Amino acid sequence: MQYDCDNAFYKIIHGTIKANVILEGEHFVAFHDIAPKAPVHVLVIPKGNYADYYDFMENAANEEIIGFFKGVNQIVKLMKLEQNGFKLRTNSGKFRLNDEGGQEVMHMHFHVLGKSTEE
Ligand code: AMP
């Protein structure tokens, strides 16, 4: 899939729009979802230009893939989700059969959803 730079997450990475960033690493940025669907709802995105999960896994270098998923786990730890459990979700693709992907922002991202143990 062709990557289109005109999307909110590309703009967050490049500083043209602001996000509530929690953590940034060499290969990822993690920030609070603007419309949270759980007490903890963090989005983790790779810094490279990948439209969706399939594109990322097909085309990213191994270092980027490892760096990204290590970043996801850093968020799990930071948000203290490991004890009670958590959900990871990615919607991949907008225009697949019957709109199955359901992805809205066409820059690959994982949703980290949970309820912090610190309440
Ligand atoms: P998806 O349907 O998987 O593409 O999810 C996109 C997610 O991005 C939704 O949960 C939105 O609430 C969230 N979102 C969209 N724009 C922003 C933004 N500028 N900052 C933070 N979250 C956003």
Side-chain angles (χ1 to χ4, degrees), residues 3-64:
Y3 183 84
D4 181 356
C5 293
D6 189 16
N7 72 76
F9 297 170
Y10 179 91
K11 290 173 188 168
I12 287 170
I13 291 167
H14 293 88
T16 51
I17 64 170
K18 287 211 163 126
N20 192 350
V21 173
I22 302 164
L23 191 66
E24 186 172 347
E26 188 182 351
H27 295 297
F28 74 92
V29 181
F31 51 91
H32 291 284
D33 195 292
I34 206 167
K37 282 128 200 128
V40 174
H41 188 171
V42 178
L43 299 173
V44 187
I45 66 176
K47 284 188 173 170
N49 295 347
Y50 302 104
D52 59 18
Y53 178 76
Y54 184 79
D55 182 20
F56 182 64
M57 294 307 289
E58 283 291 298
N59 298 308
N62 287 350
E63 303 84 71
E64 293 177 279

